[in-house]
Amino acid sequence: QVQLVESGGGLVQAGGSLRLSCAASGRTFSVYNMGWYRQAPGKDREFVAQSSWSGGNTYYADSVMGRFTISRDNAKNTVYLQMNSLKPEDTAVYYCTAARGSLRVGVEYWGQGTQVTVSS
């Protein structure tokens, strides 16, 4: 089992920045691909970003490319999502996720979520 706990959400004005953190515990963190999904009100959950187990490969949804950056610190069992130039449409609950395969194919573990609200 892997437990994921997110932090760092909040309310920010459009154009602002937030950094989400996700602390993992349980099984060996470094073997998992880590990433983020989000779910806006009335919409399905959508993939946001993924970091490979080594941190050497990252992937982003087109909607956040160039604005969001995912990173991880395996020594601290933590993954981060730096969100810049935030837009009202980024408002959602953001979930930390983990899987041994691609997160776009299947998520093995989910965090409880953290709310991000971007005001216009």
Side-chain angles (χ1 to χ4, degrees), residues 2 4 29 31-35 50-53 72 97-109:
V2 174
L4 305 172
F29 173 77
V31 303
Y32 286 88
N33 293 322
M34 301 293 297
Q50 173 178 311
S51 170
S52 63
W53 64 270
R72 65 190 291 166
T97 55
R100 284 163 288 186
S102 169
L103 290 171
R104 294 198 217 216
V105 175
V107 174
E108 294 182 54
Y109 300 100

Side-chain angles (χ1 to χ4, degrees), residues 72-115:
R72 65 190 291 166
D73 185 338
N74 286 345
K76 296 182 178 179
N77 286 3
T78 302
V79 63
Y80 306 97
L81 185 68
Q82 178 66 44
M83 305 185 294
N84 298 329
S85 301
L86 282 161
K87 304 175 181 180
E89 51 264 44
D90 294 318
T91 295
V93 177
Y94 283 72
Y95 296 91
C96 181
T97 55
R100 284 163 288 186
S102 169
L103 290 171
R104 294 198 217 216
V105 175
V107 174
E108 294 182 54
Y109 300 100
W110 295 86
Q112 83 286 354
T114 186
Q115 177 70 46

Side-chain angles (χ1 to χ4, degrees), residues 41-86:
K43 295 187 177 181
D44 293 334
R45 287 186 186 183
E46 63 173 354
F47 170 83
V48 174
Q50 173 178 311
S51 170
S52 63
W53 64 270
S54 68
N57 293 298
T58 57
Y59 306 93
Y60 299 93
D62 289 344
S63 58
V64 306
M65 184 80 70
R67 300 187 298 121
F68 291 11
T69 302
I70 188 170
S71 61
R72 65 190 291 166
D73 185 338
N74 286 345
K76 296 182 178 179
N77 286 3
T78 302
V79 63
Y80 306 97
L81 185 68
Q82 178 66 44
M83 305 185 294
N84 298 329
S85 301
L86 282 161

